[in-house]
Amino acid sequence: MAKARKPKKVRKVNTRSLIVIAVLACLLLAGVSVTVFAKYYKTGYNKGMAVASGFYFGSNYMSSVDNIKGLTMEEIAQNHIDSIVVSANRTPWKGTNVFDFDVEVRNYDNQLLYNDIDLNVEYQVNFMLLDEPKGASYTVSDGVTTKNLGWTGGRGTVVSFTGTLPGGILRANVYRLAVGMQDANQYVPANILMVAYPIGPDYLINTKCIAGIVKANYEDKEFKIESGTGFTVAKTTDYETNWKEAINKESGFVYQLLTSGSYTGAGSTETRKKIRLKWDSKMFTINENDDHYKEVKDDTSKYYTMSEGGIDWQVMEIEVLPYASIKFVFFRNDEFMTKIGSMSKTDFENSVKAEVIP
């Protein structure tokens, strides 16, 4: 009689085993995801990651201006000139020959910070006269092609160049902006607007825009503080309508210092001038992160207090260049509201002052 077969044991999969299998599956999927993400980043489709990884785009005469991205040269000229730094010739010019500005477009911030080898930046750089040329001609050259900066219908014509900045090395493309004297008696320095921005790869479009304004002075001019110097809030419509209400909305106050003059001597040290910036110490404290403040705060000959006209002034002495545009930020001190209550608009505007030190 044949023996009855024993039934096969059914292997049971317990809950712990199922968890282990699920975890292994997740890890496998995560490995695939990491690979896909790496490829996604490498091909440059993640604009945020690419920019954060280090994108450098600068110039010796232009600096980054956020509020002009995507705007035309005409729109920038009409509405945003006050946001752009102005430079003049850094060496003396007697007006008897052509004066050249060598304007660089760079792929670096300094010797150590430059674009990666796989980040080749394509860009466009534009030039435009902001003033009618008088007594001189203006041209721009990329070393191959020379173009005239013209004036038509009451405005400057836009001159454009495109270029490429390969990554992996420090690179600067140079554009020679030439001012040729035609009649010294009629010559009036014209401001030239320059704007540059990346146009490729696609993920860099509208990520950065640099701009600057240059002018060629051929005669020595007295160094002075320009009339536009003062609180930026004082230039708003709200301030004109109700100045006290406008300043009560501000937690901090931006004071813009504008200078003009001429560059003389062989270097920047010869042209720097001393400025005395002072503010009502009972009303304001200066931003302690300000570079000028940090430089002089421990030097009692350059950072001190003085009483004058019934006001206790905090004084800071600094050196600046001609055609400088510097912004200082002040915050309210303990007696701000008390003093504002009895002030006139003019008193408020004079609660921070800038003076040239003879």
Side-chain angles (χ1 to χ4, degrees):
M1 186 175 183
K3 293 182 179 181
R5 293 182 179 180
K6 293 181 179 181
K8 292 183 178 179
K9 291 183 179 180
V10 178
R11 195 173 288 176
K12 294 183 179 179
V13 180
N14 58 30
T15 303
R16 180 176 297 178
S17 299
L18 289 173
I19 292 173
V20 171
I21 292 170
V23 170
L24 289 173
C26 289
L27 289 174
L28 179 61
L29 287 173
V32 173
S33 299
V34 168
T35 302
V36 171
F37 177 79
K39 289 181 179 179
Y40 182 65
Y41 171 76
K42 186 67 176 178
T43 51
Y45 291 110
N46 189 327
K47 178 170 66 176
M49 288 296 292
V51 174
S53 69
F55 166 49
Y56 304 104
F57 187 67
S59 171
N60 56 337
Y61 282 104
M62 292 181 278
S63 57
S64 181
V65 185
D66 289 335
N67 60 351
I68 64 173
K69 293 174 184 175
L71 301 182
T72 66
M73 293 290 280
E74 289 78 9
E75 290 171 333
I76 296 170
Q78 290 174 5
N79 303 307
H80 298 282
I81 292 302
D82 290 342
S83 303
I84 301 172
V85 65
V86 180
S87 303
N89 40 303
R90 296 170 180 170
T91 56
W93 181 42
K94 301 302 181 182
T96 56
N97 55 4
V98 174
F99 187 89
D100 296 321
F101 293 94
D102 284 340
V103 180
E104 296 181 357
V105 179
R106 301 167 173 170
N107 71 342
Y108 62 89
D109 272 358
N110 55 50
Q111 296 292 315
L112 299 177
L113 299 176
Y114 52 89
N115 289 333
D116 292 338
I117 194 169
D118 57 351
L119 182 54
N120 299 322
V121 179
E122 301 167 34
Y123 67 87
Q124 181 169 320
V125 57
N126 302 324
F127 299 83
M128 186 178 79
L129 285 168
L130 294 176
D131 308 299
E132 183 177 1
K134 295 179 180 179
S137 62
Y138 297 81
T139 61
V140 186
S141 173
D142 63 355
V144 177
T145 304
T146 299
K147 301 181 180 181
N148 294 318
L149 287 174
W151 186 265
T152 304
R155 65 175 59 183
T157 55
V158 180
V159 166
S160 300
F161 295 88
T162 57
T164 301
L165 293 168
I169 58 172
L170 276 71
R171 178 67 181 267
N173 293 339
V174 179
Y175 298 87
R176 177 153 291 182
L177 173 58
V179 183
M181 181 64 69
Q182 294 175 331
D183 187 342
N185 293 324
Q186 299 296 321
Y187 179 71
V188 177
N191 289 293
I192 304 104
L193 173 65
M194 309 171 295
V195 178
Y197 46 84
I199 56 174
D202 289 345
Y203 59 84
L204 291 181
I205 295 175
N206 285 331
T207 59
K208 195 166 187 180
C209 187
I210 57 176
I213 297 171
V214 294
K215 62 191 302 184
N217 292 322
Y218 83 100
E219 60 182 353
D220 288 342
K221 291 189 176 180
E222 181 184 1
F223 180 86
K224 66 177 182 178
I225 295 173
E226 287 292 316
S227 59
T229 294
F231 289 111
T232 57
V233 68
K235 302 174 185 178
T236 64
T237 303
D238 289 346
Y239 183 87
E240 291 298 325
T241 303
N242 189 327
W243 72 274
K244 286 190 177 181
E245 183 176 322
I247 64 173
N248 282 333
K249 294 177 182 178
E250 303 289 322
S251 57
F253 298 88
V254 177
Y255 186 89
Q256 186 171 26
L257 173 66
L258 302 170
T259 67
S260 64
S262 61
Y263 288 88
T264 58
S268 61
T269 56
E270 287 82 356
T271 61
R272 289 184 180 274
K273 302 297 181 181
K274 290 184 178 180
I275 293 289
R276 181 183 294 114
L277 183 70
K278 60 183 184 180
W279 57 93
D280 187 329
S281 60
K282 294 182 179 179
M283 288 183 64
F284 298 108
T285 60
I286 195 169
N287 172 24
E288 293 185 355
N289 292 317
D290 181 87
D291 290 337
H292 292 92
Y293 165 78
K294 290 191 291 186
E295 185 177 339
V296 304
K297 66 184 180 70
D298 297 322
D299 186 342
T300 55
S301 68
K302 296 180 179 178
Y303 190 75
Y304 54 90
T305 58
M306 61 178 287
S307 294
E308 184 180 78
I311 297 175
D312 295 328
W313 299 97
Q314 181 64 56
V315 182
M316 182 169 72
E317 294 186 3
I318 60 175
E319 293 184 348
V320 299
L321 288 168
Y323 295 97
S325 176
I326 307 171
K327 291 182 178 179
F328 301 93
V329 178
F330 292 93
F331 300 107
R332 302 183 184 200
N333 211 347
D334 297 338
E335 296 186 28
F336 180 87
M337 292 304 298
T338 302
K339 298 201 74 171
I340 283 293
S342 59
M343 272 187 168
S344 67
K345 182 191 290 188
T346 301
D347 289 337
F348 169 71
E349 292 169 4
N350 289 327
S351 59
V352 177
K353 294 182 178 182
E355 306 164 343
V356 178
I357 300 176

